[in-house]
Amino acid sequence: MTTFIIRFLSLLFVSAAAVQASSKPFPRGIIDLPGATSAKSPIGTLTDHPWLNPNIDGVRIRTGWNNTETGDNVFNWAQIDECLANASASGKFIGLGIISGFDAPAWLLGGVTFTDGTSTLDVATVTSPTAAFVSSDVGKVIASDNYSPGTRIVSVTSSTVAKTSAAATKTSTTKKPAVFSILARKTGGAAFWVLSDLKGVMPVPWDPIFKAKWKEFIVALAARYDSNPQLGYQVMAGFQQTGECYLAAAPEDIAFFDSSAVAAGYKATDLLPAGLVAWEATVKEIVAQYMTSFKDTPLLITGARPYGGDQLVAGQRAMNDIFDWGFATYPGRFGVMNSQLHVTSSAGYYLNAAIVNNNATVPTGLQFICNSMTDDNVARLSNATPYGSDQLLSAYNAMDASFNAGVSLGAGYIEVYEADVNNVAYQSMLGQKREALGVTTPRAPTNLRIVP
């Protein structure tokens, strides 16, 4: 009996320590959701986005790993620094998410980058005076803003010209050249896969090179920003395509990840294919790094089904496995969000259930599934034809009802697309929903000083 009591008290102590580990409060309120930031699209000044809108509490920042670590251990922190400076000046906080899948840097994937490329819209060639194209380049993937994801070299015309599997999407010239990388030109890069729908190119999450470099990046990111009071929450990545936990849906993509997992030593179980076994192990490993590195900042995972299509049930099971593991292993620290808020969002959906069942003890959030700026988007928010059988609402009522659904789920914060945050007709609604989320007063600026 005494031994049992000691073990019980020890578990309580461990749980209490885990709950107290994040010194910052759980994020709460209305969060503005602008487009992604990058060196080409920086956040700008306080007036470029609604930092000064009293009806929002924070701004969700999304950027790519390729923008932030431009070379191995070569960092560009400028865009994140600018966002935090704006947050400090406006008295807001930011939520930060860095995409490691489709936005993995070319150098990680064995890429060699050239800055003197030329391309012509709708013409399937790439030209570069310095690329020195060779026959072994045939079949290799080109990564460039001037070509669709997954575009490959199909033949080499000369050392300076190569034919591509898809036509260029932009025209560039010698005066305004294109930057492009030939992936896997160097040996020793992380393994990657081109999604069958050509939606993107991503590293294999359980590839040891990818995991090592991504964990190094997490350490560097936390060392720079964890203690910053304006960093209100960090969305975890490293095991998905973009921000949500999607990995694969098409049969050929699932088959690749399953075979890759088997080759890496993972085995299927009665409930999960090998790819999802590997995915779960990878998530646990990377989340552990976040928890170790970010001691002060609330951390969240954006749920989804890592496998879809014919493996939809297994995908949901894997996500629920991670939820159960995260809540048990990191009580009070393992936060969860869902990026599909709309009118019919309810506690019966498994991602919302994770929020409802844990919102009292962990950080939780929601993101609108889309903005309300088009008729199609309003139908999507309303769950009306062609997305569902519910009544088509007006844009205002669709937003209002979606907000109400989110508040009823008990989420701490709701991310709202910037077009809706800026909508004059929605300002009273934003203020009301902000109060419904438990925020009753404007956030005070943190940079004020008393001047004698």
Side-chain angles (χ1 to χ4, degrees):
M1 184 66 177
T2 302
T3 301
F4 172 79
I5 292 174
I6 291 173
R7 288 178 178 174
F8 177 74
L9 291 175
S10 297
L11 287 173
L12 286 180
F13 177 78
V14 170
S15 296
V19 169
Q20 296 170 2
S22 295
S23 63
K24 300 176 188 177
F26 292 168
R28 186 165 293 279
I30 303 295
I31 311 299
D32 174 60
L33 186 65
T37 62
S38 67
K40 291 184 178 180
S41 300
I43 198 67
T45 66
L46 290 179
T47 58
D48 290 317
H49 296 278
W51 293 97
L52 301 178
N53 186 329
N55 295 317
I56 70 164
D57 297 276
V59 178
R60 170 67 187 278
I61 303 303
R62 297 173 292 178
T63 192
W65 186 11
N66 52 5
N67 182 76
T68 314
E69 189 172 6
T70 55
D72 192 0
N73 289 311
V74 178
F75 299 103
N76 164 39
W77 303 116
Q79 280 70 60
I80 300 174
D81 287 348
E82 290 164 356
C83 293
L84 288 165
N86 283 352
S88 179
S90 61
K92 312 293 187 184
F93 61 86
I94 71 167
L96 179 61
I98 298 180
I99 295 172
S100 61
F102 288 165
D103 287 348
W107 60 261
L108 177 77
L109 309 180
V112 178
T113 300
F114 304 93
T115 60
D116 59 359
T118 54
S119 60
T120 302
L121 178 66
D122 295 332
V123 175
T125 61
V126 59
T127 301
S128 166
T130 62
F133 295 112
V134 292
S135 59
S136 59
D137 289 331
V138 173
K140 288 185 168 56
V141 173
I142 290 179
S144 173
D145 290 341
N146 288 53
Y147 294 86
S148 301
T151 297
R152 297 178 183 271
I153 295 173
V154 295
S155 65
V156 173
T157 303
S158 69
S159 63
T160 59
V161 181
K163 291 185 177 180
T164 55
S165 60
T169 56
K170 297 178 184 178
T171 295
S172 64
T173 64
T174 54
K175 291 184 177 180
K176 293 185 178 180
V179 176
F180 71 98
S181 301
I182 302 175
L183 303 186
R185 221 189 196 198
K186 289 183 180 178
T187 59
F192 61 88
W193 178 246
V194 179
L195 272 292
S196 60
D197 57 4
L198 301 183
K199 189 165 60 175
V201 179
M202 65 176 294
V204 176
W206 45 88
D207 177 82
I209 296 172
F210 165 76
K211 288 194 298 182
K213 292 300 180 183
W214 180 242
K215 286 192 284 186
E216 286 179 10
F217 177 74
I218 293 171
V219 172
L221 184 71
R224 187 173 181 88
Y225 297 118
D226 184 39
S227 62
N228 191 308
Q230 259 60 51
L231 179 58
Y233 60 102
Q234 174 74 43
V235 180
M236 296 181 285
F239 32 79
Q240 68 270 72
Q241 297 172 4
T242 55
E244 301 86 4
C245 288
Y246 295 111
L247 182 61
E252 51 267 52
D253 297 329
I254 290 174
F256 166 79
F257 284 114
D258 281 345
S259 63
S260 169
V262 171
Y266 298 96
K267 295 181 180 179
T269 67
D270 292 340
L271 298 176
L272 296 177
L276 289 181
V277 173
W279 181 82
E280 286 191 7
T282 301
V283 174
K284 292 177 181 179
E285 187 176 340
I286 292 175
V287 167
Q289 185 63 66
Y290 274 103
M291 293 293 171
T292 299
S293 299
F294 283 90
K295 299 184 182 300
D296 298 326
T297 304
L299 298 166
L300 298 98
I301 190 170
T302 308
R305 293 182 178 93
Y307 270 8
D310 294 339
Q311 293 286 356
L312 200 68
V313 173
Q316 181 169 323
R317 181 179 291 117
M319 192 73 254
N320 278 329
D321 286 347
I322 291 300
F323 285 156
D324 292 342
W325 166 83
F327 297 139
T329 307
Y330 302 105
R333 295 212 62 204
F334 184 87
V336 60
M337 68 173 289
N338 177 14
S339 62
Q340 302 172 27
L341 178 63
H342 61 289
V343 168
T344 61
S345 293
S346 68
Y349 185 56
Y350 77 108
L351 295 180
N352 295 330
I355 292 173
V356 171
N357 295 333
N358 297 279
N359 57 42
T361 57
V362 305
T364 56
L366 292 163
Q367 181 186 111
F368 269 81
I369 195 169
C370 60
N371 65 42
S372 66
M373 293 297 105
T374 68
D375 290 343
D376 184 69
N377 279 359
V378 173
R380 194 177 182 195
L381 286 169
S382 303
N383 195 43
T385 305
Y387 300 98
S389 57
D390 290 281
Q391 177 186 0
L392 178 64
L393 303 175
S394 68
Y396 185 96
N397 288 339
M399 288 292 295
D400 187 65
S402 297
F403 266 125
N404 290 340
V407 171
S408 72
L409 295 174
Y413 66 86
I414 297 178
E415 296 176 351
V416 184
Y417 282 89
E418 190 163 287
D420 292 322
V421 169
N422 286 334
N423 192 326
V424 175
Y426 293 167
Q427 295 311 302
S428 179
M429 182 200 309
L430 291 172
Q432 293 169 3
K433 305 312 177 185
R434 182 172 179 266
E435 290 186 7
L437 289 168
V439 184
T440 56
T441 57
R443 286 180 59 88
T446 58
N447 64 328
L448 297 183
R449 299 291 183 269
I450 296 176
V451 179

